[in-house]
Amino acid sequence: MRKSLPASLRLWAGVRLAVALAAITTFSYAADKGELAAAPAPRNMEPTYAIQVGLDGEIFPVFAHQAALQKPTARTWGTVAVKVTNSSDTPLRQRITVHVPGWSDQEIQAAEMSAGEVHTYLFAPAFFPRLYQNRELTSATVVVEVRDRGGRVAFSQATPVRLRAADDMLWGRDFKFAPFIASWVTPHDEVVEQVLTEAKELMPGRRLPGYEEWKSSGDQEKSTFNQAKAIYRALQKLGISYVKSSTNFGSIEMTQRIRMPHESLKQASANCIDGAVMYASMFENLGMDAQIVLIPGHAYVGVRSSQNGSKYLYFDTVLTGRDDFEASVHAAEKGLSERPSNEINRIDVDESRRAGIFPMQEGVPALHPAGTTSAARLK
């Protein structure tokens, strides 16, 4: 059994993650708490509808994907919000349909409201694979249609929207959306597993066992160091080196373009955050606890040194292309020691998973090019 973090650290991590997930309601326009208590407006005998789409009219695939995984009744945020005001004197029973033609399935919800009630329905239609293959800012249309019990159209609206590139990450003010970086950690990607296959050849006994609970903490720490070093060396054999890739387009600040691990491996290129999610993918594949660590202008990756311990092994992934593993560990230790704690943002991948943040590209086979990746050249 894996021993959890000390209560104080677990509480702090939970608070930070809860704050981040609550903050995402700025993207989803939240629910309608307190609206029933508002001062009554002059009665209009017809219901009215207000549509809000994305964040300032932009849909980020990372958020759309995670919202679609939630049950409609459990959502606190979504891709499209439909606010219904039943100004009539009779109960309202209607069916609301939302979709993005050519990009998503339809999502249908039943609206049942009493006279005078106001409610916001949160929609997150499942997007087709093409959204997660999209690499540029793209225009689309969100269509909302409301029908009454007899099937007659009561309301219809087409709203223009801009679809962000699949690899655009929105950090938000003070990195409040940082836990969503776990969406880029893809442990089941076949290319990640190919690299691990090569890395085990660099280990004593040709094994990458992850944690072995029968070992002492000291022996586990040594094993973790050796496994991380083997993965590092396997990626060096691939020729992974630093290439900056942060230019993106859109109207929202604090965004960054981040390569998926399979892209970094195909291109043999990774900047600091690309490398962090790539290494974290491999550690999670092995059942090891990974962290993405953000400091101003840079990122590191970490892995828990022993299954029941609180110590992490951190290293600087940008050195993969030009220095040995020990140097990358030293660089991370030095970089973290020079920063005050309030400038260090640690995202625990396992914590994000428990909060419902899952790999973004899972189940999208077209994102796995066959036989063309640099990992394939290991063979």
Side-chain angles (χ1 to χ4, degrees):
M1 293 291 291
R2 182 180 301 167
K3 183 178 178 181
S4 63
L5 289 172
S8 60
L9 292 179
R10 189 168 63 251
L11 176 60
W12 174 239
V15 168
R16 288 177 62 250
L17 192 54
V19 168
L21 294 176
I24 196 69
T25 57
T26 62
F27 166 75
S28 59
Y29 316 105
D32 56 326
K33 288 187 177 180
E35 293 185 60
L36 291 178
R43 277 292 170 86
N44 179 346
M45 296 310 293
E46 296 293 330
T48 59
Y49 309 88
I51 313 300
Q52 291 181 294
V53 179
L55 180 60
D56 292 339
E58 296 185 351
I59 292 176
F60 283 78
V62 59
F63 297 145
H65 173 71
Q66 303 304 336
L69 295 176
Q70 310 300 317
K71 295 180 179 179
T73 54
R75 286 180 193 144
T76 57
W77 50 282
T79 308
V80 179
V82 181
K83 181 180 178 180
V84 182
T85 302
N86 182 17
S87 302
S88 70
D89 295 319
T90 59
L92 180 70
R93 292 185 180 180
Q94 295 180 326
R95 186 182 69 174
I96 306 173
T97 302
V98 171
H99 76 296
V100 184
W103 291 91
S104 80
D105 286 330
Q106 289 188 339
E107 182 177 338
I108 301 173
Q109 293 187 36
E112 297 190 5
M113 301 167 56
S114 59
E117 186 177 352
V118 179
H119 188 74
T120 299
Y121 295 88
L122 300 175
F123 289 82
F127 279 83
F128 302 146
R130 66 177 295 199
L131 179 69
Y132 305 101
Q133 299 163 357
N134 179 41
R135 290 295 175 266
E136 293 297 345
L137 187 68
T138 303
S139 62
T141 303
V142 173
V143 175
V144 177
E145 185 178 80
V146 181
R147 291 180 179 267
D148 62 22
R149 296 181 66 184
R152 294 180 294 273
V153 176
F155 174 84
S156 181
Q157 179 173 308
T159 303
V161 65
R162 301 201 296 181
L163 305 177
R164 297 295 294 250
D167 44 13
D168 279 0
M169 171 64 179
L170 172 63
W171 294 110
R173 185 182 297 275
D174 297 325
F175 290 89
K176 62 185 177 183
F177 301 143
F180 285 87
I181 191 61
S183 300
W184 273 258
V185 179
T186 56
H188 301 143
D189 193 307
E190 65 184 57
V191 185
V192 168
E193 295 186 339
Q194 288 172 7
V195 174
L196 292 175
T197 296
E198 177 67 15
K200 74 177 175 63
E201 300 298 327
L202 305 175
M203 281 288 292
R206 300 177 61 246
R207 298 173 65 244
L208 285 172
Y211 301 122
E212 295 176 292
E213 59 183 28
W214 53 270
K215 286 185 176 180
S216 67
S217 294
D219 286 342
Q220 285 189 37
E221 289 181 11
K222 292 177 183 177
S223 177
T224 296
F225 185 94
N226 289 335
Q227 291 178 75
K229 183 175 181 178
I231 294 169
Y232 187 93
R233 291 176 60 200
L235 289 169
Q236 284 187 320
K237 290 180 63 176
L238 280 174
I240 296 291
S241 59
Y242 180 88
V243 174
K244 183 177 181 179
S245 177
S246 59
T247 301
N248 52 15
F249 302 98
S251 60
I252 302 171
E253 296 181 358
M254 288 300 293
T255 63
Q256 182 176 4
R257 176 154 288 193
I258 301 173
R259 295 180 181 92
M260 281 289 188
H262 74 89
E263 295 174 309
S264 295
L265 291 166
K266 176 182 178 180
Q267 300 166 11
S269 302
N271 61 24
C272 60
I273 190 65
D274 301 335
V277 298
M278 179 173 60
Y279 277 96
S281 298
M282 297 179 197
F283 292 135
E284 190 178 30
N285 181 289
L286 297 175
M288 305 176 83
D289 295 334
Q291 277 188 356
I292 310 296
V293 184
L294 306 175
I295 63 173
H298 202 40
Y300 302 114
V301 70
V303 57
R304 191 188 298 274
S305 294
S306 63
Q307 188 173 23
N308 296 322
S310 58
K311 180 180 177 181
Y312 276 77
L313 171 66
Y314 297 106
F315 57 98
D316 191 341
T317 68
V318 300
L319 296 184
T320 303
R322 65 177 190 268
D323 218 329
D324 60 27
F325 182 66
E326 288 77 7
S328 73
V329 172
H330 176 73
E333 290 176 345
K334 183 176 184 295
L336 291 171
S337 68
E338 293 174 346
R339 293 286 180 179
S341 59
N342 65 342
E343 291 186 357
I344 301 174
N345 195 332
R346 304 174 197 267
I347 299 96
D348 188 283
V349 174
D350 188 56
E351 289 280 349
S352 292
R353 298 289 187 242
R354 290 199 293 270
I357 300 173
F358 300 108
M360 181 162 49
Q361 73 176 64
E362 294 293 282
V364 187
L367 287 178
H368 305 284
T372 60
T373 66
S374 52
R377 297 197 294 271
L378 286 168
K379 304 300 182 183

